[in-house]
Amino acid sequence: MANKILLEVVTPDKLLLSKEVEAVVATGVDGEFGVLYGHVPFLATLDIGELRFRDGAHTDYAAIAGGFAEVTGSKVTVLAEAAELAREIDVDRAQRAREKAEQRLAKVKGEDMEYIRVEAALKRAMLRMRIVQRGQA
Ligand code: ATP
């Protein structure tokens, strides 16, 4: 049996997840990275993106709204600005957030900071909708 790593996902509100798993894949700002037991320690900045973790044949998914990951040989700690497990995501809320962001984006062209903020909101909404589907597959 494979050695396990402890995956912890922490948000400003709560400890979302503390679970022993065999493999973790997270979305860094430079792309996806995978972690197995015994990985060399490193720190990564996380993008708005998918986190997936596998235990045996089962894979779970979470939406991460950016943050940091600390990796050691036996533990992955994700500090996320916001995070939801696939089964916790309200897909209607994400759909509404997506529509609102799309409407705002059309209006804020040229206002740099506002454009970046709304673009990030759109990215979060689309991620949440994708993670719901991944969790159901
Ligand atoms: P919204 O406009 O719907 O609030 P948002 O992208 O602005 O979306 P965030 O600021 O990223 O929301 O998150 C605020 C809080 O709401 C966090 O605790 C986050 O986990 C939660 N959250 C946001 N969207 C959803 C969703 N679709 N389903 C479940 N929880 C959500």
Side-chain angles (χ1 to χ4, degrees), residues 29-105:
V29 289
D30 299 321
E32 281 198 343
F33 59 88
V35 180
L36 298 172
Y37 184 86
H39 202 292
V40 290
F42 73 102
L43 290 171
T45 304
L46 300 180
D47 202 352
I48 297 169
E50 175 177 308
L51 176 75
R52 59 181 185 272
F53 40 100
R54 182 181 60 74
D55 192 28
H58 184 72
T59 300
D60 270 325
Y61 299 86
I64 305 293
F68 300 95
E70 180 189 29
V71 175
T72 71
S74 58
K75 186 172 179 187
V76 176
T77 307
V78 172
L79 302 174
E81 289 174 31
E84 307 87 39
L85 298 171
R87 61 176 176 276
E88 297 173 347
I89 293 175
D90 177 341
V91 72
D92 292 335
R93 176 176 168 180
Q95 176 70 40
R96 286 194 301 275
R98 176 188 173 166
E99 286 165 9
K100 192 174 143 200
E102 282 174 344
Q103 287 164 10
R104 283 288 297 149
L105 265 193

